[in-house]
Amino acid sequence: MSQNKIKVSVLQMDIAYGDPAENRKRADGLIREALKERKKPDILVLPEMWNTGYDLKRIRELADEEGRPHISWLQEIAKREKVNIVAGSIADKRPAEQKGEDPPIYNSSYIIDREGQIVRRYDKVHRFRGFSEEKYFTPGSNVVTFELDGITCGIVICYDLRFPELVRKVALMGAKLLFVPAQWPKPRE
């Protein structure tokens, strides 16, 4: 593990329900603000489902297509500003495996390095029944680690945190830093 200190900026935002354009505008403002700091952050972290919020009834129409346009936009920022980005998570649509099937939608986090390259993608494994995620999202199946600035990191998304064996596995894979993007609204259904 690197002995250097790193600065992580956690970007907390009031997510506009079902409004990707507004959410991108809000995220852009927070990113710009964080990058103005005297000591620029090494890593920016966005919240869970920052692109759409939990507008699950319209998630098929709102979801990105394999990280586009939101992850592509963050890649440009990472490269231009030489900053790592843990892109919280987004609603992310992938190609259907068979013709005629609906494309699966994942709650996915993309990890982007200072060169704007996608280092890793993690799909949320455990879906939160309290928000009926199981009706809308395909579960991920991989536990991942990745390196940022010489530090082995891991990631889980929100509800995944309630499953200690998942986090234990990430630790056993060598993670020294764990990211947990989450969206915990004040009121709950």
Side-chain angles (χ1 to χ4, degrees), residues 172-189:
L172 290 172
M173 292 169 66
K176 303 298 182 201
L177 178 59
L178 179 67
F179 293 98
V180 187
Q183 187 181 148
W184 290 328
K186 274 186 185 178
R188 275 231 172 120
E189 291 182 347

Side-chain angles (χ1 to χ4, degrees), residues 24 27-29 31-33 35 40 44 72-85 112-117:
R24 182 169 166 166
D28 186 59
I31 289 167
R32 288 175 189 272
E33 189 177 319
L35 293 172
K40 191 163 115 173
L44 297 172
S72 302
W73 169 68
L74 290 173
Q75 286 179 274
E76 292 171 16
I77 292 170
K79 185 175 183 177
R80 182 182 66 238
E81 300 294 336
K82 299 293 183 215
V83 65
N84 298 299
I85 300 176
I112 305 163
D113 69 13
R114 294 177 187 270
E115 300 303 315
Q117 297 301 307

